[in-house]
Structures are given as C-alpha cells and as structure tokens.
C-alpha cells in the first residue's frame, strides 16, 4: 500500500512537472518528504538529461542523503545563501550599485556607521577597488556581506535586473527547495514573482511542512501562491503517511497541528514504525513536579528505573532543551558558551563606551589607544560617568571577573569594538572540513575549527582509521624543507603513536597547551587562519587559551551528537527511540510553554503561541518509541490541557528521589 501511495505522490508531482507547473509537496513529520525529493530528482535527471537541477536544502542530513543517493553531474546541492551568491557574485558592477543603493535606502538593514549617504563611487574610488564578497562576518566598508545581507542584496539584484532572471532560469530549469517553510519570504518572491518576468521556462518545486516552520525569518507557508481551482501558480500534493512515529505520537501530533493535515500510519510492513504487520503503539507521558528546586534528575531517574530509558546512549535517547545555554552546564562546556554568547565586557565596550567615544573623540584621538586609555580620556574630558558606565548585568560580571576586566583594559580599543563574536561560531552544527564547509556554510570560528581538527585527528588515529587521519592532518606533507613527515618505517609508526598518546592525555591541559602540543608533534599545525584570528580577536583568543581542553572535548562530543543533549531547533530532521522534551523557556520571550496549553482560539494566531506550538510539534515527532514531556510546576489549566492531549493515565507527578 505505501509503495502504491508513494508512486501516486511521485506520479502527481511528475504530472505537474510535465504540465510545466510549480508544485508543493506538503507532508507532516516522518512522512518521507526528503525521500520523495530524491525520487523526483532522479526522475528529472532521467527524463530531462540535458537540464541542470538545483537542490536547495537546510540540513546536513538532507545534504548527505541527496548527494549519496543522487551523485550526478547535473545536480547541484547547496544552501540558499550559497545558491543566491553563486548566481550574483560575478556581476560586480551591478553588485556595487545595488549595495550602495541599499546603504542609502532607509530601513534596508544595510548601514555603514558614520555615513549618512554613501557616494556612488564608494567602492571604486580607492587605490584598490573593492570587490563585493560573501563571508561569515559583515564589514560593509570593505564590501563584505554576511548571510543576512546576501538575501537582501540578491533580492534587489533579481528585482532590478531582469537579465539575472533569464540567466538563472537558463542555468537551472529545475529548482527544488527542501524545508521550504524555513525559506526567507524574499527568496520565495524571487522564485515565484521575479522569475516570471523571464520568458524562459523553469519549474520550482517546494518540499516541506508549514507546521515545522521554527525560524522567525521563514516564509511559513505558500498559501498566497497555492492553486485554489482558479488562482495560484503552485499546485499542492499532500503526503499524509507517517513512517516514523508510533500511533500514540501520531495521535498527539494530529491534535497539535492547526492546518488540517491529518497523518495516518504507513501500511508498509517495512516502515520503521511497523512491527509484525501493525503500527507500534509507543508510549507518551506528560510528567510534572510541583516541588521547588531542580527536579530534572528525579525525572530522568524515574524514566530510567520505571520505564527502561537509557540516557547514556546518545543514539537512542535525547533530552531536548530550548537553548544551548540550558545545555552547556549539563554537557560540560559552560565556560566556552559564556565566552561566545555575548561576552558582557565586550557588550559594555561596544554598547556603552563606543557611542560615548564617537560623540566626543575623532578617529585620530582614538587611534592606538587601549581601553584603559579611552576610559581615562573620557574622565579627563569631564564626561559624566553615568553616560558610559556599565549596565547592572555588565557591572555584576565585571565585578565577579575583576582580573579579566583589568586584562581587557590593556587591549587596543579598536580591537575590542571590532571583535565579532557569536554563539554560532562555537556551536554551529556544520562540519569543520573544507569540503563540507564549502557546501554547507559553516559558521564556526577558525579557532574552533582548528580545535575540532585536533580532536578529530586524535579519535581517527585511535579508531584505526589511518586513511582519514592522514587526510585530516596532512601528515604526509613536509612542514619544513628536509623534514619528511611520511610514515616510512615501524619507528615512524611508534613515534606517531607516542605523539597521539601525548595529546590524548589532556586531563590537565589547557586549550593553549593542546594547540601548541599538536603543532609541536606535527599532528595539527598552527596555520595562518589561527594566527589571523589571534591577531584580529586577541581578547577572545586569550580567553579561550585558558579554558581546560577537557571542556572543549565535552563540546566536541555535543557537536558530534555523542551526548544525550540537543536543542529543540537542531533536532529537526533527526529521530530517536526515546525523546525527553524539557518545557523551559530559558528566559527567552520568543516562546511561552504555558500558552502552548492554555491559549484561546483567538490567541492561536499570535506569533509567540504559533512559534511555541510548532517547536513542540517538531520535538514530539522526533520519537520512534517513547516520548516524555517534562513541565515544572504547571498550573491547573496546563494540567487540564495536558490530560486532554496525552490522556489522563499518561499525566503523572514525579516524586523527588
């Protein structure tokens, strides 16, 4: 039955393609949307062998699956940012004009500090003309765009230059977008509005689930473009089967959905959620505590002892929290997240000191001065201290990190205000290798990538994966003239093993110790990227050097999915036997788990309620066997709704063990 259903779904899509229609495959969690996308790609390549197919996807799992299943020269798989940039980067004249126009456009999101109006020759009237480029950070003075700017600039480029639409459609007659619900509205407008101006033929296919739109910048749905029998350019095909979840989770998920798409278990005996010809029943629990204090250990102990859960096997069981911050302490990388997640000293310098300095000093007066010099100069000029004193939160951090603050005052002021640091530079889930980075756009900092390379090398060698070890380390290359690093003899192998043993014994080593040792032992050489990062961001670099390397090992395990922890956002696309969902906002106002259970019909359309409902849907539908949802101190109204959703027997209070 499922094979016939899949065939029907594929047939429905291919019929739309044959008619020249744009299409949308809508399917709930676990329905096999990516699998169908792969089948569509194969069909297009077979029936249109001279046509290029662009496949835009948003997860590493999807990229890997598509590339592994369809390894063909006619297929290009990339992120939306890379795709758009690749199609505009060669038109530098038009790019410069567009960027300057946006810089002078109110509310465009592009702005250069200190310039109210940017001259038309801003990028070319220099000793060396500026080339507009796309990197992980923004520096508009130098023509450097990051992710957000690429979207805006591409939108204006396709809006302003019809020729680009002609070129794109000629280059890619077929464009398939996976996880369309997370696509930026501007991107959808490019695809479905701007490309219309070209007479060339192209077909845009969308794959996804409006209920899994968990990012604020996503389009969410394509309702305004759907064909309704009279109007609309996009023809919808629904995929209602569920091949992942047990029946109890499917029933719960159907109650959470608000768009009318009702999933049914697959009839395919080979589907993961089938057992002996029947869909698995599974188990769902809503557990809560009314006691004060930290009750999560009691919850996990109950699930372990009474329900047979194993929190030591990361491949089987996952604990889902809303943010990395809520995970960091439990997973053992709290110091690292503190450094990369809005350092209060940097925030003070940028948000309090910098505006005051810009109002009272010229650039020449600031040049070469340390933060201490700047603070002394502000005082000498008689500037009221309340205008540049730290906020209450910043002051508290400075007081508790007095030595760090005194050291920060010795850094160049210019260096501090230009230090770009973001949590994604630490915990971005994209891989660190150059090949994968080019495909998926890793945001990790060069320093974090270097540390990942060290740890990866250690583990590959100990696992006996010598070929990958050599590939990662470049161990066959000579560091210096006459210094041959090739493994020629047994003695070379012994020496290499000794080097790895030195690195593996990292209990008492700092990150600085490990970087220097890995370089000394020729395992992972300090390269220009690390040196440049040190020079560019000395404050962050020096903070990192003092952290225990064992803490980075904990981070590495987390990034590689080897811990029982994940954020609720990053788990999308994954699946596990057992899933524990922690309903804790983490002081994040974008979500409200109480409203998830108590919102009225009128409130369901509020962005916070919608956002919370969708992330909850995503979390619950990761489950293949058992689902537990934990809520600390719920109200009577929350409990009433929980009993309605989960069933009265499945709602229970957890005692403190």
């Amino acid at each position: 039955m499922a094979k016939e259903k899949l065939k029907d779904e594929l047939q429905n899509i291919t019929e739309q393609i044959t008619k020249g229609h744009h299409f949308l495959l809508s399917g709930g969690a676990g329905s096999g949307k990516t699998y169908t996308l792969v089948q569509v790609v194969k069909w297009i390549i077979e029936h249109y062998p001279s046509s290029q197919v662009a496949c835009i996807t948003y997860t590493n799992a999807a990229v890997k699956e598509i590339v592994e299943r369809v390894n063909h020269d006619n297929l290009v798989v990339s992120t939306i940012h890379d795709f758009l940039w690749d199609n505009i980067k060669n038109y530098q004249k038009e790019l410069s004009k567009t960027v300057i126009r946006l810089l002078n456009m109110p509310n465009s999101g592009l702005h250069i500090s200190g310039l109210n109006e940017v001259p038309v020759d801003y990028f070319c009237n220099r000793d060396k003309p500026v080339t507009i480029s796309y990197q992980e950070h923004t520096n508009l003075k130098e023509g450097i765009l990051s992710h957000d700017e690429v979207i805006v600039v591409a939108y204006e480029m396709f809006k302003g230059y019809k020729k680009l639409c002609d070129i794109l459609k000629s280059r890619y007659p077929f464009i398939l977008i996976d996880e369309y619900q997370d696509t930026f509205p501007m991107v959808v407008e490019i695809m479905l509005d701007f490309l219309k101006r070209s007479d060339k033929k192209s077909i845009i296919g969308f794959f996804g689930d409006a209920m899994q739109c968990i990012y604020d910048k996503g389009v969410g749905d394509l309702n305004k473009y759907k064909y309704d029998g009279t109007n609309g350019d996009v023809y919808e095909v629904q995929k209602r089967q569920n091949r992942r979840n047990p029946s109890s989770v499917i029933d719960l998920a159907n109650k959470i959905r608000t768009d009318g798409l009702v999933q049914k278990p697959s009839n395919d005996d080979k589907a993961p959620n089938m057992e002996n010809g029947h869909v698995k029943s599974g188990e769902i629990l809503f557990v809560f505590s009314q006691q004060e204090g930290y009750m999560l250990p009691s919850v996990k102990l109950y699930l372990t002892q009474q329900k047979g859960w194993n929190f030591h096997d990361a491949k089987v069981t996952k604990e889902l929290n809303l943010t990395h911050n809520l995970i960091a302490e439990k997973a053992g990388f709290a110091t690292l997240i503190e450094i990369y997640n809005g350092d209060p000293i940097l925030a003070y310098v940028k948000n309090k000191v910098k505006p005051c300095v810009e109002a009272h000093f010229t650039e020449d007066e600031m040049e070469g001065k340390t933060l201490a010099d700047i603070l002394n100069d502000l005082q000498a000029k008689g500037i009221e201290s309340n205008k540049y004193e730290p906020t209450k939160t910043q002051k508290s951090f400075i007081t508790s990190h007095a030595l760090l603050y005194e050291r920060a005052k010795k850094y160049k002021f210019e260096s501090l205000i230009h230090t770009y640091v973001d949590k994604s530079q630490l915990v971005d889930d994209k891989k660190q290798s150059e090949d994968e980075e080019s495909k998926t756009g890793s945001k990790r900092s060069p320093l974090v990538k270097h540390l990942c390379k060290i740890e990866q090398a250690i583990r590959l060698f100990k696992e006996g994966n010598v070929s990958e070890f050599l590939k990662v380390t470049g161990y066959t290359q000579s560091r210096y003239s006459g210094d041959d690093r090739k493994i020629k003899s047994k003695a070379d192998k012994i020496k290499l093993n000794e080097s790895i043993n030195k690195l593996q014994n990292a209990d008492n080593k700092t990150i600085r110790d490990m970087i220097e040792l890995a370089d000394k032992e020729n395992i992972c050489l300090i390269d220009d990227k690390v040196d440049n990062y040190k020079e560019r961001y000395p404050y962050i670099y020096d903070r990192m050097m003092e952290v225990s390397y064992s803490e980075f090992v904990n981070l590495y395990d987390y990034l590689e999915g080897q811990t029982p922890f994940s954020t609720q956002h990053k788990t999308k696309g994954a699946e596990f036997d057992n899933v524990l969902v922690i309903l804790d906002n983490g002081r994040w106002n974008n979500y409200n788990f109480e409203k998830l259970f108590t919102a009225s019909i009128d409130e369901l359309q509020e962005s916070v309620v919608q956002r919370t409902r969708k992330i909850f849907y995503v979390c619950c539908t990761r489950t293949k066997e058992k689902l537990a949802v934990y809520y600390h101190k719920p109200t009577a109204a929350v409990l009433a709704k929980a009993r309605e959703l989960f069933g009265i027997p499945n709602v229970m209070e957890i005692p403190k063990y």
Side-chain angles (χ1 to χ4, degrees):
M1 283 295 291
K3 289 184 178 179
E4 289 299 316
K5 186 175 281 188
L6 176 61
K7 182 180 177 182
D8 290 343
E9 292 159 356
L10 180 61
Q11 187 176 16
N12 287 336
I13 292 173
T14 58
E15 285 176 0
Q16 300 303 333
I17 293 175
T18 304
K19 294 176 182 178
H21 293 161
H22 304 314
F23 66 89
L24 162 65
L25 179 73
S26 295
S31 62
K33 295 181 293 296
T34 300
Y35 180 75
T36 303
L37 184 152
V38 169
Q39 302 308 307
V40 172
V41 171
K42 288 180 177 180
W43 186 90
I44 293 173
I45 290 173
E46 180 184 351
H47 290 80
Y48 300 88
S50 62
S51 297
Q52 288 280 104
V53 182
C55 184
I56 300 165
T57 188
Y58 293 83
T59 68
N60 281 334
V63 170
K64 184 179 179 181
E65 182 177 356
I66 295 166
V67 172
E68 285 181 350
R69 295 192 184 189
V70 192
N71 186 10
H72 199 279
D73 291 340
N74 285 4
L75 176 65
V76 175
V77 186
S78 68
T79 65
I80 188 60
H81 298 89
D82 290 338
F83 177 78
L84 291 174
W85 178 248
D86 189 54
N87 284 280
I88 65 174
K89 66 183 181 183
N90 293 326
Y91 306 98
Q92 285 292 320
K93 182 179 178 181
E94 292 80 4
L95 266 170
S96 294
K97 288 182 178 179
T98 301
V99 171
I100 290 170
R101 185 167 68 252
L102 286 166
L103 287 169
N104 290 323
M105 188 184 300
N107 303 318
S108 70
L110 275 69
H111 177 70
I112 295 177
S113 179
L115 282 179
N116 294 323
E117 185 172 352
V118 181
V120 295
D121 61 350
Y122 182 74
F123 293 121
C124 61
N125 188 22
R126 305 189 189 185
D127 295 336
K128 185 179 180 182
V130 172
T131 298
I132 307 298
S133 62
Y134 167 41
Q135 299 181 30
E136 67 177 32
H137 66 283
T138 305
N139 187 345
L140 293 173
K141 285 184 179 179
E142 300 302 324
I144 299 173
L145 313 176
S146 68
H147 302 344
D148 291 343
E149 291 84 25
V150 164
I151 298 292
V152 176
V153 171
Y155 178 88
E156 289 297 316
M157 290 279 285
F158 281 100
K159 180 181 179 180
Y161 299 100
K162 174 181 171 297
K163 187 67 175 176
L164 277 179
C165 301
D166 291 328
I167 294 170
L168 179 60
K169 294 175 78 171
S170 295
R171 189 177 182 187
Y172 298 111
F174 299 94
I175 301 175
L176 308 179
I177 301 176
D178 195 17
E179 303 288 352
Y180 83 86
Q181 68 278 354
D182 294 325
T183 302
F184 296 88
M186 284 184 173
V187 174
V188 174
E189 197 170 341
I190 291 171
M191 299 297 174
L192 296 179
D193 292 325
F194 296 169
L195 294 188
K196 276 185 181 179
R197 296 177 297 162
S198 171
D199 295 330
K200 298 182 182 296
K201 294 182 178 180
S202 72
I203 292 172
I204 316 296
F206 299 90
F207 299 76
D209 180 10
M211 199 64 195
Q212 296 187 63
C213 177
I214 59 176
Y215 300 107
D216 290 342
K217 295 180 180 180
V219 68
D221 59 61
L222 296 176
N223 291 340
K224 66 178 285 187
Y225 296 101
K226 285 184 189 177
Y227 179 69
D228 60 5
T230 305
N231 301 306
D233 298 325
V234 180
Y235 290 72
E236 184 178 20
V237 176
Q238 288 194 337
K239 191 176 179 73
R240 294 183 177 272
Q241 67 175 327
N242 186 307
R243 298 172 55 84
R244 175 194 299 152
N245 304 133
S247 59
S248 56
V249 175
I250 294 174
D251 292 341
L252 173 64
N254 285 335
K255 293 176 183 177
I256 299 170
R257 294 191 73 99
T258 56
D259 61 351
L261 193 154
V262 178
Q263 284 192 291
K264 299 179 179 179
S266 168
N267 290 323
D268 182 2
D269 290 344
K270 296 181 180 179
N273 60 354
M274 299 295 289
E275 189 173 61
N276 299 324
H278 301 280
V279 64
K280 298 176 182 178
S281 60
E283 186 175 29
I284 59 173
L285 293 171
F286 182 95
V287 296
F288 67 96
S289 61
Q290 296 291 10
Q291 300 184 49
E292 298 292 339
Y294 187 57
M295 289 290 294
L296 187 56
S298 294
V299 172
K300 294 169 79 169
L301 189 61
Y302 169 81
L303 293 173
T304 301
Q305 294 181 347
Q306 303 298 321
K307 299 296 179 178
W309 287 42
N310 180 7
F311 284 94
H312 298 292
D313 191 341
K315 294 182 179 179
V316 172
T317 303
K318 279 295 177 191
E319 174 192 322
L320 305 184
N321 294 262
L322 191 57
T323 67
H324 296 292
N325 295 39
L326 292 169
I327 294 171
E329 186 169 352
K330 291 183 283 189
F333 57 92
T335 307
L336 292 174
I337 204 76
E338 180 188 82
I339 293 172
Y340 275 88
N341 187 38
D343 182 286
I345 292 176
L346 284 179
Y348 164 57
V349 174
K350 291 182 178 183
N351 301 330
K352 299 292 291 186
V353 180
K354 181 185 174 186
C356 197
V357 170
E358 289 180 339
H360 297 90
F361 292 86
T362 65
E363 288 189 10
D364 289 341
E365 289 178 306
M366 291 187 289
E367 188 175 353
K369 292 189 176 181
T370 65
L371 174 60
D373 295 332
I374 291 293
L375 293 174
N376 289 334
D377 289 350
L378 286 170
Q379 188 177 9
K381 278 185 176 267
I383 310 301
E384 296 178 15
S385 61
N386 62 355
K387 292 185 177 180
Y388 57 91
E389 65 184 11
T391 64
K392 186 176 180 180
T393 301
Q394 292 165 357
K395 191 172 184 177
S396 176
F397 182 87
I398 289 170
T399 301
S400 60
H401 295 75
L403 292 177
L404 176 63
Y405 180 60
E406 288 304 312
R407 195 169 68 210
K409 288 164 65 175
K410 298 177 182 179
Y411 291 100
K412 295 289 180 64
F413 180 68
E414 286 287 321
S415 167
L416 292 172
I417 64 174
H418 290 124
T419 294
Y420 171 78
V421 63
D422 181 81
K423 185 165 52 181
S424 63
Q425 294 176 328
L426 180 74
V427 295
D428 185 69
D429 65 346
K430 308 300 190 294
K431 300 297 185 181
Q432 71 274 4
S433 71
E434 292 184 3
D435 288 344
E436 291 181 318
E437 182 186 352
S438 65
K439 292 178 182 177
T440 59
S442 174
K443 297 179 182 177
R444 293 182 191 173
S445 75
L447 180 57
V448 173
K449 289 179 184 177
H450 187 77
L451 290 168
C452 286
K453 189 175 178 180
I454 293 173
E455 187 59 27
Q456 185 184 21
I458 294 171
R459 299 192 184 199
L460 286 171
F461 188 85
K462 286 301 181 181
E463 291 166 1
N465 194 340
V466 178
S467 61
E468 284 299 312
F469 170 83
L470 296 176
K471 181 180 177 182
V472 167
T473 62
Y475 201 79
T476 58
Q477 298 175 1
S478 296
R479 183 178 186 187
Y480 305 111
S481 177
D483 184 2
D484 193 352
R485 299 172 67 212
K486 293 180 180 180
I487 303 173
K488 295 180 176 180
S489 64
K490 185 178 180 180
D492 291 336
K493 292 180 181 178
I494 294 173
K495 186 177 184 303
L496 182 56
N497 193 65
E498 290 174 349
S499 296
I500 295 293
N501 285 333
K502 290 178 184 178
L503 289 169
Q504 196 174 35
N505 185 19
D507 292 343
N508 299 314
K509 291 184 175 67
T510 64
I511 285 176
R512 185 190 307 276
D513 294 334
M514 286 294 290
I515 289 176
E516 292 176 351
L517 184 60
D519 182 79
K520 180 182 177 183
E521 297 295 327
N522 290 332
I523 301 300
C524 188
L525 306 181
I526 299 172
D527 59 15
D528 290 344
K529 291 181 179 178
V530 175
D531 285 335
N532 291 338
Y533 188 85
K534 177 182 180 180
E535 183 178 351
R536 190 170 186 178
Y537 305 130
Y539 172 75
I540 295 297
Y541 183 89
D542 289 344
R543 283 205 70 186
M544 287 282 288
M545 292 303 101
E546 296 178 352
V547 178
S548 169
Y549 185 76
S550 61
E551 183 165 325
F552 176 78
V553 172
N554 294 336
L555 172 68
Y556 185 89
D557 286 338
Y558 172 67
L559 295 174
E560 294 297 309
Q562 297 174 7
T563 72
F565 308 105
S566 176
T567 64
Q568 295 171 5
H569 291 80
K570 294 297 184 183
T571 197
K572 192 173 84 166
E575 55 187 36
F576 307 95
D577 287 356
N578 309 316
V579 174
L580 171 61
V581 184
I582 311 297
L583 299 188
D584 183 345
N585 293 350
R587 300 179 182 178
W588 195 358
N589 295 328
N590 288 344
Y591 297 86
N592 189 316
F593 288 119
E594 182 175 358
K595 285 285 187 180
L596 170 66
F597 292 91
T598 62
S600 65
I601 298 295
D602 294 336
E603 292 175 312
L604 285 177
Q605 298 307 311
E606 292 181 7
S607 60
V608 172
V609 178
Q610 282 187 326
R611 189 181 301 113
T612 308
R613 198 175 190 90
K614 289 176 178 179
I615 196 68
F616 186 59
Y617 173 85
V618 168
C619 290
C620 293
T621 54
R622 302 308 97 195
T623 308
K624 295 194 294 182
E625 301 283 349
K626 301 175 182 178
L627 168 69
V629 175
Y630 171 58
Y631 198 119
H632 186 59
K633 301 188 74 172
T635 63
V638 169
L639 285 175
K641 186 65 178 180
R643 293 184 180 107
E644 179 185 327
L645 291 173
F646 288 77
I648 295 175
N650 300 321
V651 178
M652 59 188 69
E653 184 172 5
I654 299 297
K656 193 165 186 176
Y657 285 81

